[in-house]
Amino acid sequence: GHHCWGYGEENGPSDWYKDYSLANGDRQSPIDIQSEQTVYNSSLKPIWVSYDACTSLSICNNGHSVMVEYEDCDDKTVIRGGPLEFPYRLKQFHFHWGGKDSRGSEHTVNGKSYPGELHLVHWNAAKYKSFDEAASAPDGLAVLGVFLETGEKHSVLHRLTDALYMVRFKETKAQFKDFNPSGLLPDCLDYWTYRGSLTTPPLHESVTWLMLKEPLYLSEKQMEKFRTLFFSGEEEGLRTRMMDNFRPPQPLKGRTVEASFR
Ligand SMILES: O=C1NC(=O)[C@@H](c2ccccc2)S1
Ligand SMILES: [Zn+2]
């Protein structure tokens, strides 16, 4: 519509229902994960990430987040296992973060927010012909989510945070080759899983969520680099810093969150 959705006072998450009726749907994301209410499922398989042959293409600021895009023309970069019946192809990863460390993640755990959250977005190319078609199918997408927590500098992430100056403004893009995102994953792949949605418009209810229990640790300096990005384009007068680009937790509506671990 004439004014695009965003995270501001006028176009933020509490306004999205006006243009996107799914906002009040039965399987919306993110959610607050109440660990005592999760159900351990011993038949859940381990998550199996095969990213070694990945082809990263570019890093870009799309006005909502910063993302790294991958070549997804074959099954060389997939996630398998967990609750998934098919391999899902990595399309891109991106982040959500806060203006300060007390907020920023989309999912919360027992009401606790993290400073940020990494989303690795995958699609079911075994059943669907394109990402766009999969994005509106109930089993179309699988998003692997990793909480960001401040601590020691993250050496693999450092290559990305050092590249952010190239994409400060909306619609900017730069080459970003040979970046294997498995280096961003914690050692422990214990996860919670539930059926949910995109956390941005159009809010399609097409995502099998896999939220890792273990966070990715990064330094405060690396967190600050995310906050140097802008929602706005270089030509726009008002430069609004990209931060607090997260949707708050949505009603569980009777869903069960399963745990791969006791
Ligand atoms: O996990 C998610 N994070 C987002 O920004 C949403 C999204 C929307 C469209 C494409 C990829 C991801 S879904
Ligand atoms: Zn996301």
Side-chain angles (χ1 to χ4, degrees):
H2 55 285
H3 78 288
C4 184
W5 67 269
Y7 296 94
E9 282 305 302
E10 304 289 310
N11 63 359
S14 54
D15 304 303
W16 293 350
Y17 75 95
K18 298 172 204 164
D19 284 322
Y20 304 95
S21 54
L22 276 173
N24 298 313
D26 294 340
R27 58 174 279 196
Q28 289 291 291
S29 293
I31 59 168
D32 177 42
I33 297 167
Q34 299 189 352
S35 54
E36 295 303 308
Q37 309 303 319
T38 63
V39 175
Y40 169 62
N41 177 350
S42 57
S43 64
L44 276 174
K45 301 187 187 69
I47 290 174
W48 184 19
V49 165
S50 310
Y51 290 164
D52 288 352
C54 68
T55 304
S56 65
L57 300 168
S58 57
I59 185 166
C60 91
N61 176 335
N62 62 13
H64 308 298
S65 181
V66 60
M67 74 172 162
V68 173
E69 298 167 297
Y70 284 79
E71 193 175 88
D72 61 347
C73 52
D74 64 18
D75 271 1
K76 64 186 169 191
T77 314
V78 296
I79 187 170
R80 291 186 175 90
L84 306 174
E85 287 172 41
F86 307 93
Y88 283 67
R89 268 184 210 171
L90 178 66
K91 170 81 178 162
Q92 53 108 315
F93 70 80
H94 63 272
F95 300 84
H96 304 264
W97 61 92
K100 53 184 188 175
D101 292 352
S102 56
R103 60 182 192 254
S105 62
E106 300 214 292
H107 291 85
T108 54
V109 181
N110 301 324
K112 172 194 162 67
S113 288
Y114 286 82
E117 191 170 322
L118 159 64
H119 288 158
L120 294 131
V121 182
H122 309 74
W123 62 283
N124 183 346
K127 268 183 87 171
Y128 305 104
K129 292 190 291 297
S130 69
F131 174 83
D132 285 348
E133 187 192 339
S136 54
D139 59 351
L141 302 183
V143 180
L144 180 58
V146 189
F147 293 113
L148 304 186
E149 182 62 278
T150 46
E152 287 301 301
K153 171 181 147 184
H154 195 291
S155 52
V156 171
L157 186 67
H158 207 69
R159 196 184 138 204
L160 185 136
T161 46
D162 270 359
L164 294 178
Y165 76 94
M166 297 191 289
V167 286
R168 288 178 72 203
F169 299 104
K170 176 178 178 178
E171 308 307 337
T172 52
K173 180 178 274 218
Q175 198 175 73
F176 199 69
K177 299 275 190 195
D178 306 315
F179 188 83
N180 184 333
S182 46
L184 300 179
L185 303 181
D187 298 339
C188 177
L189 295 182
D190 286 349
Y191 62 92
W192 292 291
T193 183
Y194 76 98
R195 292 157 51 79
S197 74
L198 300 178
T199 61
T200 64
L203 301 170
H204 291 316
E205 297 183 329
S206 57
V207 181
T208 298
W209 279 93
L210 304 166
M211 285 303 298
L212 296 188
K213 177 191 70 182
E214 280 298 303
L216 172 162
Y217 292 94
L218 75 168
S219 66
E220 187 52 43
K221 272 183 73 174
Q222 287 178 304
M223 266 323 296
E224 286 297 334
K225 288 201 174 149
F226 282 101
R227 301 178 183 128
T228 64
L229 298 175
F230 292 95
F231 283 120
S232 44
E234 186 162 14
E235 75 293 338
E236 288 176 55
L238 185 69
R239 292 190 171 181
T240 33
R241 291 243 179 242
M242 187 179 275
M243 51 178 69
D244 299 323
N245 54 346
F246 61 90
R247 189 190 194 191
Q250 301 302 308
L252 196 54
K253 300 216 174 160
R255 287 173 284 178
T256 298
V257 179
E258 295 191 325
S260 73
F261 60 97
R262 281 192 190 284

